[in-house]
Amino acid sequence: MYLVERRMGKSRRALLTQLARNKGFRVDTELSESVTHIVSENNSGDEVLAFVEKQSTVSGERLSAAALVDITWFTDSMGAGRLLEIETRHRLQVKSVFSAGASSAAIPTYACQRRTTLNNHNKVLTDALKILAENAEYYESVGRYLAFTRVSSILKSLPYAVTSVDSLRGFPGLGEHCRKVIEEILEDGVCQEVESVTQSQRYQTLTLFTSIFGVGVKTAEKWYKEQHQTLADLRASQIRFTKEQQVGLQYYEDLTTPVTRAEADMIRKTVEEAVYRYLPGAVITLAGGFRRGKETGHDVDFLITHPEEGKEKGLVTKVIQHMASQGLMLYSDEIGNSYQKCRKQETSKFDHFERCFTIVKLNQEPVNAAVSGNDSREGGQGAGGQGAGGQGAGHRPEDKHWKAVRVDLVIVPISQFAYALLGWTGSQLFERELRRYAKNCKHMILTSHALYHPQQNEYFSAAAEEEIFAHLELDYIAPWERNA
């Protein structure tokens, strides 16, 4: 934390600093890249911003990353002996946000330069922009999708709630369309364009179909044009589904139910038991949204490596076979390592590790029919059809004592582990922006395997994520601050 001396006084600031340090808290005497909380006494949020903007050591990024809090949060935390969650009463309100002409400089262009926690103060705005981004994606308008998504990302990173559209003047990427949407919501509480989109049959249908495992936008659009609108329509159709789509429909209710952290931990124990059976000493890391601090997710991602390079080869096949022998494997799609074939290609979306995308059976307490009444909605999975490890069609929902969960197992050589961990942690936009920054600003190619400089024909080794950020001359962003 950083204590603002203005109106606090030098001696009181020194006293409070020593008090906090004696209790084990870190207090910096200057604003730096490490500061997450700016503490003030008897100042407004605007006064604090104006004061810290004048500090020569402050970069614009810090102003958008650190929380502005009143001294009451500090004293409450000291009394509790731990950092407390910031409540509304603790937070300093900001009206002008940044001084005139400074706002564009204060908000970095790339999401990988901003710290974005799960504490979103502008959820009403970002939810609306997300809907417009999804709709743009359904029309395959990449430009509009990115425009909505990038502005939403900036709003998520702000340590305050936006109350005036004028305060966003100069924000990077804020076009007239996004500005009008934000202004309408701030003034009227809703945006008519967003309301129109959410009520449209096309948006509702494509949102439903793309939530099915194995179904992308083009397939969803094709089915919609064929007059299908519900899951019941699909199940009654003559469509020749892929294997992925078959299991996606079969286990639809389970696969669209969020996976909790507790469930992820249970799956981790199952994966560890299988991995250690064949490769003692292996390192298994939970990645994805859970590593970013989320309590729920749509799937569970594990990176598996070994300190001795090469020992991990062929492991995924053994693990899958063992889990299948235990009756836990409902679906698996195993892919071999193809990195050497495309080592220097600029792959911005996919990697080439040995991996397996699976759906596993997570045993749990019996499901009460009254609680899971949505199993019958639109001919939902309920007891499921016949399938590998699946229940027979005659079983009722209340007899189903397990849940189908998507699990991705990625086998990574230790020399590439830092890059894989960075790539598989997300968020999706954070990773996309990180690669875009590497390309546009450093003329490098960043993948989940390596960082490569084409002009110098040089690969940059990294034993930890911090080294990758250092290679790119970026401040290190912790996993829980990458929720862009």
Side-chain angles (χ1 to χ4, degrees):
M1 61 187 73
Y2 170 81
L3 304 182
V4 177
E5 187 174 315
R6 184 177 190 271
R7 290 184 180 156
M8 182 181 292
K10 187 174 183 180
S11 59
R12 177 165 167 76
R13 183 191 188 214
L15 179 65
L16 295 177
T17 296
Q18 191 59 47
L19 169 67
R21 287 175 176 170
N22 289 343
K23 288 180 173 288
F25 296 94
R26 174 175 171 178
V27 183
D28 289 353
T29 55
E30 294 183 353
L31 277 169
S32 69
E33 68 277 2
S34 301
V35 171
T36 57
H37 298 71
I38 298 178
V39 182
S40 170
E41 188 171 31
N42 297 324
N43 290 292
S44 69
D46 294 288
E47 289 173 327
V48 172
L49 283 179
F51 179 78
V52 298
E53 273 184 345
K54 297 177 183 178
Q55 307 304 302
S56 60
T57 58
V58 180
S59 63
E61 296 97 302
R62 301 288 71 77
L63 299 182
S64 64
L68 304 182
V69 294
D70 182 71
I71 191 69
T72 54
W73 172 84
F74 176 90
T75 54
D76 288 349
S77 294
M78 292 304 105
R82 61 183 177 85
L83 292 181
L84 297 177
E85 290 292 327
I86 302 174
E87 300 177 12
T88 302
R89 63 188 178 89
H90 296 138
R91 194 172 297 279
L92 297 179
Q93 298 301 311
V94 179
K95 295 181 180 179
S96 61
V97 185
F98 298 105
S99 60
S103 55
S104 60
I107 301 294
T109 300
Y110 296 89
C112 59
Q113 297 172 300
R114 302 189 293 265
R115 299 172 190 273
T116 310
T117 68
L118 291 170
N119 192 13
N120 181 3
H121 300 283
N122 296 284
K123 195 171 186 303
V124 173
L125 300 178
T126 58
D127 283 352
L129 293 175
K130 179 183 178 182
I131 290 170
L132 296 180
E134 288 174 341
N135 196 49
E137 188 176 25
Y138 295 159
Y139 282 101
E140 300 186 76
S141 177
V142 177
R144 290 175 61 236
Y145 167 80
L146 289 175
F148 292 129
T149 304
R150 285 171 179 161
V151 172
S152 177
S153 175
I154 290 176
L155 294 173
K156 288 181 180 180
S157 73
L158 299 178
Y160 55 85
V162 172
T163 57
S164 168
V165 72
D166 290 335
S167 68
L168 305 180
R169 185 180 296 113
F171 276 25
L174 181 63
E176 190 59 29
H177 194 165
C178 287
R179 181 184 175 88
K180 287 182 177 179
V181 171
I182 294 171
E183 185 173 30
E184 190 174 345
I185 293 174
L186 291 177
E187 292 181 356
D188 303 331
V190 295
C191 171
Q192 290 304 314
E193 180 185 1
V194 174
E195 292 294 299
S196 177
V197 168
T198 55
Q199 292 171 14
S200 72
Q201 186 62 58
R202 183 179 185 276
Y203 174 83
Q204 293 176 9
T205 302
L206 265 63
T207 298
L208 173 66
F209 288 173
T210 54
S211 68
I212 302 170
F213 176 63
V215 178
V217 173
K218 289 185 178 180
T219 299
E221 173 75 16
K222 178 175 178 290
W223 291 347
Y224 174 72
K225 289 182 177 179
E226 293 173 351
Q227 306 301 311
H228 302 300
Q229 295 184 355
T230 67
L231 299 184
D233 290 345
L234 296 180
R235 292 187 173 110
S237 72
Q238 299 301 311
I239 296 174
R240 298 184 63 180
F241 299 111
T242 65
K243 183 180 178 182
E244 291 86 349
Q245 293 161 3
Q246 289 175 14
V247 297
L249 281 168
Q250 182 178 354
Y251 304 115
Y252 179 81
E253 296 292 340
D254 281 0
L255 298 181
T256 54
T257 300
V259 184
T260 67
R261 180 174 290 274
E263 290 172 332
D265 289 337
M266 292 172 63
I267 294 170
R268 179 182 187 135
K269 293 178 181 178
T270 300
V271 172
E272 286 177 342
E273 190 275 329
V275 169
Y276 295 151
R277 172 182 292 267
Y278 301 104
L279 188 60
V283 178
I284 304 170
T285 303
L286 177 63
F290 289 112
R291 187 166 185 257
R292 300 198 310 273
K294 297 182 72 174
E295 289 301 319
T296 60
H298 67 278
D299 64 359
V300 187
D301 303 323
F302 292 106
L303 300 189
I304 305 171
T305 189
H306 191 277
E308 187 176 335
E309 183 112 1
K311 278 201 167 185
E312 76 287 342
K313 291 182 180 179
L315 175 64
V316 71
T317 300
K318 298 175 182 177
V319 170
I320 296 305
Q321 289 177 347
H322 175 73
M323 292 177 66
S325 71
Q326 302 295 306
L328 301 176
M329 196 60 59
L330 299 170
Y331 165 84
S332 64
D333 180 19
E334 189 176 335
I335 302 172
N337 191 313
S338 59
Y339 176 53
Q340 292 303 324
K341 296 179 182 179
C342 48
R343 191 177 181 190
K344 296 181 181 180
Q345 291 181 8
E346 188 175 341
T347 53
S348 61
K349 188 173 182 180
F350 302 107
D351 59 49
H352 304 275
F353 294 112
E354 177 186 4
R355 61 193 185 276
C356 191
F357 301 126
T358 75
I359 297 177
V360 303
K361 182 188 292 186
L362 174 64
N363 293 319
Q364 55 186 198
E365 293 298 319
V367 179
N368 186 288
V371 175
S372 59
N374 61 353
D375 280 341
S376 60
R377 182 186 54 177
E378 294 206 331
Q381 158 213 335
Q386 293 287 0
Q391 298 278 0
H395 287 264
R396 296 171 300 171
E398 59 266 33
D399 292 332
K400 182 170 170 287
H401 300 168
W402 53 270
K403 175 183 179 181
V405 179
R406 284 181 53 192
V407 179
D408 296 340
L409 305 177
V410 186
I411 310 300
V412 182
I414 191 64
S415 61
Q416 300 171 31
F417 183 73
Y419 288 101
L421 185 59
L422 178 60
W424 277 81
T425 294
S427 65
Q428 185 180 43
L429 182 71
F430 185 92
E431 300 302 330
R432 184 170 192 156
E433 291 286 274
L434 194 59
R435 292 188 291 267
R436 191 167 72 99
Y437 175 88
K439 177 185 177 182
N440 295 345
C441 300
K442 297 300 176 183
H443 309 292
M444 299 179 183
I445 297 173
L446 174 66
T447 70
S448 293
H449 296 268
L451 179 63
Y452 174 65
H453 198 305
Q455 296 175 350
Q456 300 176 8
N457 192 27
E458 180 181 5
Y459 284 91
F460 296 84
S461 62
E465 291 177 311
E466 288 86 345
E467 295 180 33
I468 303 173
F469 282 87
H471 288 322
L472 294 170
E473 298 182 330
L474 286 170
D475 289 342
Y476 175 69
I477 306 293
W480 52 90
E481 297 173 317
R482 301 178 198 168
N483 291 284

